[in-house]
Amino acid sequence: CPSPTSRIVGTGVGAFNFWTANPFNATASPFVSNPGHRKQILFTKAELNAAGMDAGHSITAIAFDIATFSGTNTFNGFTVKMSCTSLDEFPLFGGSYETGLSTVMNATAVTITSGWVDLNFDNAFNWDGESNVIIEVCWQNSSSLTTGTQQVVNYTTLSKRMSLTSLVGFGGGVACTAAPSGSGFQRLNVRFKTCPAPPNLAFDYQWTPAIG
């Protein structure tokens, strides 16, 4: 659709600063200093409905809210995947990432600034209107970013563990296949861009007078 509607889920102003917190905390920003990062975040049907989404709505982009920013950083191979799920909370000790997600944004370089960072999809995600939704992001750089660079990202603290995170250490590793290091109650605020379901153009015809 030419003018997608913006719908925000999560209005908390808790801002996570990677440099002043446990680097293996599941609240970790998707934009960190490590050479790579992988995160899954979970949204319930009720949350999406409350934001105005219904069955058949297609999601064409998401965005994360960067509260403050210093430095100029590019995150390479940034990929976004999504899936419907019956899961309503991640396990306490991380467990494993959900599988079978579809790639909605192909690997690309993302350079961030302060404010909402838009991630526009190559393939829209069509929500079934009944399931919860998982979003996965991951990226991989060849080396760490400059120490002291800060990306402070707004999040909301929830009553369930809705985030699952892993960081690739400075010793190497492949972020997009890494196992999770922890789950947490703090979930990044996300702005969805959505388009309504297309109209039903199926018609029944009855000829009068009937012929034959």
Side-chain angles (χ1 to χ4, degrees):
C1 62
S3 301
T5 301
S6 293
R7 307 177 189 275
I8 296 175
V9 180
T11 57
V13 293
F16 180 82
N17 184 338
F18 176 80
W19 291 103
T20 59
N22 176 1
F24 290 98
N25 192 308
T27 63
S29 162
F31 307 107
V32 297
S33 66
N34 286 53
H37 179 72
R38 184 183 186 187
K39 175 185 290 295
Q40 285 188 352
I41 50 179
L42 179 62
F43 296 88
T44 67
K45 172 184 182 294
E47 289 177 311
L48 299 179
N49 285 156
M53 283 183 258
D54 296 306
H57 274 204
S58 60
I59 299 170
T60 62
I62 60 172
F64 298 123
D65 187 15
I66 309 298
T68 61
F69 172 81
S70 66
T72 301
N73 289 327
T74 297
F75 300 84
N76 293 297
F78 202 106
T79 304
V80 181
K81 298 180 179 181
M82 294 184 67
S83 178
C84 291
T85 181
S86 60
L87 189 71
D88 64 359
E89 184 176 17
F90 290 114
L92 174 62
F93 295 108
S96 59
Y97 284 113
E98 290 292 294
T99 60
L101 282 70
S102 299
T103 300
V104 293
M105 190 181 88
N106 300 326
T108 190
V110 172
T111 300
I112 68 170
T113 58
S114 59
W116 287 100
V117 175
D118 286 305
L119 303 170
N120 296 308
F121 293 173
D122 298 291
N123 306 293
F125 177 79
N126 295 314
W127 182 44
D128 64 10
E130 296 296 329
S131 305
N132 299 333
V133 169
I134 284 182
I135 298 174
E136 177 175 314
V137 297
C138 69
W139 55 268
Q140 184 87 49
N141 282 349
S142 59
S143 62
S144 61
L145 302 176
T146 303
T147 300
T149 299
Q150 298 180 8
Q151 299 84 39
V152 183
V153 183
N154 282 321
Y155 65 84
T156 301
T157 300
L158 304 166
S159 60
K160 290 186 175 183
R161 297 177 180 273
M162 306 297 272
S163 296
L164 194 60
T165 295
S166 56
L167 302 173
V168 170
F170 299 103
V174 180
C176 291
T177 58
S181 56
S183 60
F185 298 98
Q186 293 81 11
R187 186 186 63 200
L188 298 165
N189 298 341
V190 172
R191 184 178 68 190
F192 295 85
K193 288 188 177 180
T194 68
C195 292
N200 185 352
L201 299 180
F203 296 95
D204 292 327
Y205 295 91
Q206 183 176 4
W207 295 99
T208 302
I211 299 175

Coordinates of all heavy atoms in Angstrom, one line a residue, residues 15-25 27-29 155 167:
A15 N 15.9 3.2 29.0 CA 16.8 3.2 27.9 C 18.0 2.4 28.3 O 18.7 2.6 29.3 CB 17.3 4.6 27.6
F16 N 18.3 1.4 27.5 CA 19.4 0.4 27.8 C 20.7 0.9 27.1 O 20.8 1.1 25.9 CB 19.1 -0.9 27.3 CG 20.2 -1.9 27.5 CD1 20.3 -2.5 28.8 CD2 21.1 -2.2 26.6 CE1 21.3 -3.4 29.0 CE2 22.1 -3.1 26.8 CZ 22.2 -3.7 28.1
N17 N 21.7 1.1 27.9 CA 23.0 1.5 27.4 C 24.0 0.3 27.6 O 24.3 -0.1 28.7 CB 23.6 2.7 28.2 CG 24.9 3.2 27.7 OD1 25.6 2.5 27.0 ND2 25.2 4.4 28.0
F18 N 24.4 -0.2 26.4 CA 25.2 -1.5 26.4 C 26.4 -1.3 27.3 O 26.9 -2.2 28.0 CB 25.6 -1.8 25.0 CG 26.6 -3.0 24.9 CD1 26.1 -4.3 25.0 CD2 27.9 -2.8 24.8 CE1 26.9 -5.3 24.9 CE2 28.8 -3.9 24.7 CZ 28.3 -5.1 24.8
W19 N 27.0 -0.1 27.3 CA 28.3 0.0 28.0 C 28.2 0.1 29.5 O 29.2 0.0 30.2 CB 29.0 1.3 27.5 CG 29.4 1.1 26.0 CD1 28.8 1.6 24.9 CD2 30.5 0.3 25.6 NE1 29.4 1.2 23.8 CE2 30.5 0.4 24.2 CE3 31.5 -0.5 26.2 CZ2 31.4 -0.3 23.4 CZ3 32.4 -1.2 25.4 CH2 32.3 -1.1 24.0
T20 N 27.0 0.3 30.1 CA 26.9 0.4 31.5 C 26.1 -0.8 32.1 O 25.6 -0.7 33.2 CB 26.2 1.7 31.9 OG1 24.9 1.8 31.3 CG2 27.1 2.9 31.4
A21 N 26.0 -1.9 31.3 CA 25.2 -3.0 31.8 C 25.9 -4.3 31.4 O 26.8 -4.3 30.7 CB 23.8 -2.9 31.2
N22 N 25.4 -5.4 32.0 CA 25.9 -6.7 31.7 C 25.8 -7.0 30.2 O 24.7 -7.0 29.7 CB 25.0 -7.7 32.5 CG 25.4 -9.2 32.2 OD1 26.3 -9.4 31.4 ND2 24.8 -10.1 32.9
P23 N 26.9 -7.3 29.5 CA 26.8 -7.5 28.1 C 26.0 -8.7 27.6 O 25.7 -8.9 26.5 CB 28.3 -7.5 27.6 CG 29.0 -8.0 28.9 CD 28.2 -7.3 30.0
F24 N 25.7 -9.6 28.6 CA 25.0 -10.8 28.3 C 23.6 -10.7 28.8 O 22.8 -11.7 28.8 CB 25.7 -12.1 28.8 CG 27.0 -12.3 28.1 CD1 28.2 -11.9 28.6 CD2 27.0 -12.9 26.8 CE1 29.4 -12.2 27.9 CE2 28.1 -13.2 26.1 CZ 29.3 -12.8 26.6
N25 N 23.1 -9.5 29.1 CA 21.8 -9.3 29.6 C 20.9 -9.3 28.3 O 21.2 -8.7 27.3 CB 21.7 -8.0 30.3 CG 20.3 -7.8 31.0 OD1 19.3 -7.9 30.4 ND2 20.4 -7.4 32.3
T27 N 18.4 -7.6 27.7 CA 17.9 -6.3 27.2 C 18.8 -5.7 26.2 O 18.6 -4.6 25.8 CB 17.8 -5.4 28.5 OG1 19.1 -5.2 29.0 CG2 16.8 -5.9 29.5
A28 N 19.9 -6.4 25.9 CA 21.0 -5.7 25.1 C 20.4 -5.2 23.8 O 19.6 -5.8 23.1 CB 22.0 -6.8 24.7
S29 N 20.8 -4.0 23.5 CA 20.4 -3.3 22.3 C 20.8 -4.2 21.1 O 21.8 -4.9 21.1 CB 21.2 -2.0 22.2 OG 21.2 -1.5 20.8
Y155 N 13.2 0.7 25.8 CA 12.5 -0.6 26.0 C 11.4 -0.5 27.0 O 11.3 0.5 27.8 CB 13.5 -1.7 26.4 CG 14.2 -1.5 27.7 CD1 13.5 -2.0 28.9 CD2 15.4 -0.9 27.9 CE1 14.1 -1.8 30.1 CE2 16.0 -0.8 29.1 CZ 15.3 -1.2 30.3 OH 15.9 -1.1 31.5
L167 N 25.2 -12.8 22.0 CA 26.3 -11.9 21.5 C 27.5 -12.7 21.0 O 27.9 -13.6 21.7 CB 26.7 -10.9 22.5 CG 25.6 -10.0 23.1 CD1 26.2 -9.2 24.3 CD2 25.1 -9.0 22.1

